[in-house]
């Protein structure tokens, strides 16, 4: 639901909201050895899980160089918000080319859903963002924030993306691995001053790995 009052979320609140606890040290992924992954196709499409009244699509293609095994990712996402009458009132579109694959087994604690997500693909790089030229304030993960307004033009932004192929998570110190009932998911987030400011997230509709024997 759209909120008419102005956002008073500070950088400190945003940092607390999106704070990621890195449990494992991560290094860029390389495809080596037998049965190595050559390519990964990712698609997530449906209702946004964090923005009320929004639909989101996220696509990503990860390609590993045959000779070096070094991967790069192409990422695109598009989110649209509709009012109660079904009219589109806001759009946010982002693109990332040649994103760096930081990890294929990243994990972090999610304060919103109170689980530690595990076995995530983590992608990050410099991309671009375009939004509708309108100021919109929404309730987002328990806070009131103003969505980005680029004036209808593309602007440079830092984008991070997480992909959970199976929706795997753990609870507290319990080593047992659980699977989210709806399965895997993907999220794309916009970084401002090194802090994730807003993101889109929805469930996977496709996750396919092409493996070279």
């Amino acid at each position: 639901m759209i909120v008419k009052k102005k956002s008073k979320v500070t950088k400190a609140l945003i940092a607390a909201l999106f704070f990621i606890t890195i449990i494992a040290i991560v290094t860029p992924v390389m495809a080596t050895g037998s049965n190595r992954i050559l390519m990964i196709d990712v698609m997530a499409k449906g209702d946004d899980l964090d923005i009320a009244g929004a639909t989101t699509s996220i696509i990503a293609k990860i390609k590993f160089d045959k000779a070096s095994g070094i991967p790069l990712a192409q990422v695109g996402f598009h989110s649209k918000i509709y009012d109660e009458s079904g009219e589109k009132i806001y759009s946010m579109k982002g693109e990332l080319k040649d994103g760096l694959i930081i990890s294929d087994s990243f994990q972090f604690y999610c304060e919103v859903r109170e689980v530690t997500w595990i076995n995530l693909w983590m992608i990050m790089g410099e991309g671009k963002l375009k939004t509708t030229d309108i100021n919109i304030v929404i309730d987002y993960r328990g806070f009131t924030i103003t969505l980005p307004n680029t004036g209808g033009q593309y602007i440079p932004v830092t984008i991070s993306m997480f992909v959970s192929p199976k929706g795997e998570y753990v609870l507290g110190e319990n080593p047992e691995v659980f699977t989210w009932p709806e399965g895997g998911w993907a999220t794309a987030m916009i970084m401002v001053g090194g802090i994730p400011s807003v993101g889109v997230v929805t469930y996977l509709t496709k996750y396919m790995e092409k493996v070279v024997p």
Side-chain angles (χ1 to χ4, degrees):
M1 180 179 294
I2 305 303
V3 182
K4 294 184 179 180
K5 64 181 179 179
K6 293 184 178 180
S7 170
K8 295 184 179 180
V9 176
T10 64
K11 287 186 177 181
L13 286 176
I14 295 174
L17 175 62
F18 290 101
F19 179 71
I20 296 174
T21 303
I22 300 177
I23 302 175
I25 297 175
V26 296
T27 56
V29 176
M30 293 183 66
T32 59
S34 59
N35 294 324
R36 61 191 178 102
I37 298 173
L38 183 62
M39 183 177 67
I40 300 174
D41 278 328
V42 176
M43 178 178 292
K45 187 175 182 179
D47 292 337
D48 195 279
L49 304 180
D50 288 333
I51 303 177
T55 60
T56 289
S57 63
I58 304 171
I59 58 173
K61 186 180 292 291
I62 302 172
K63 292 185 177 181
F64 292 80
D65 182 81
K66 291 182 179 180
S68 67
I70 297 175
L72 289 175
Q74 310 291 323
V75 176
F77 66 90
H78 194 184
S79 188
K80 305 173 185 177
I81 299 180
Y82 300 86
D83 63 16
E84 295 179 354
S85 68
E87 180 181 356
K88 185 179 73 173
I89 56 176
Y90 180 82
S91 173
M92 176 168 55
K93 186 176 183 180
E95 297 179 13
L96 171 62
K97 295 183 178 180
D98 299 333
L100 178 65
I101 314 300
I102 304 298
S103 177
D104 61 354
S105 56
F106 191 77
Q107 57 189 47
F108 72 90
Y109 177 72
C110 174
E111 294 183 352
V112 176
R113 292 168 178 87
E114 299 182 331
V115 302
T116 297
W117 297 110
I118 62 173
N119 297 326
L120 304 174
W121 285 90
M122 180 185 181
I123 303 165
M124 185 173 291
E126 297 301 314
K128 59 182 182 179
L129 177 76
K130 181 175 73 172
T131 76
T132 306
D133 185 8
I134 186 173
N135 293 320
I136 288 189
V137 181
I138 65 170
D139 289 327
Y140 183 72
R141 295 187 172 188
F143 290 88
T144 301
I145 68 167
T146 301
L147 291 175
N149 180 354
T150 70
Q153 304 295 320
Y154 277 107
I155 63 169
V157 293
T158 301
I159 295 173
S160 63
M161 179 181 182
F162 294 99
V163 180
S164 174
K166 299 179 181 179
E168 294 177 311
Y169 65 94
V170 296
L171 297 172
E173 300 298 325
N174 186 351
E176 182 178 359
V177 176
F178 299 91
T179 301
W180 201 253
E182 290 80 5
W185 50 266
T187 182
M189 307 176 73
I190 303 159
M191 311 286 286
V192 176
I195 300 173
S197 63
V198 70
V200 296
V201 58
T202 191
Y203 291 117
L204 291 181
T205 54
K206 177 182 181 182
Y207 180 86
M208 183 176 66
E209 297 180 355
K210 183 179 179 181
V211 179
V212 178

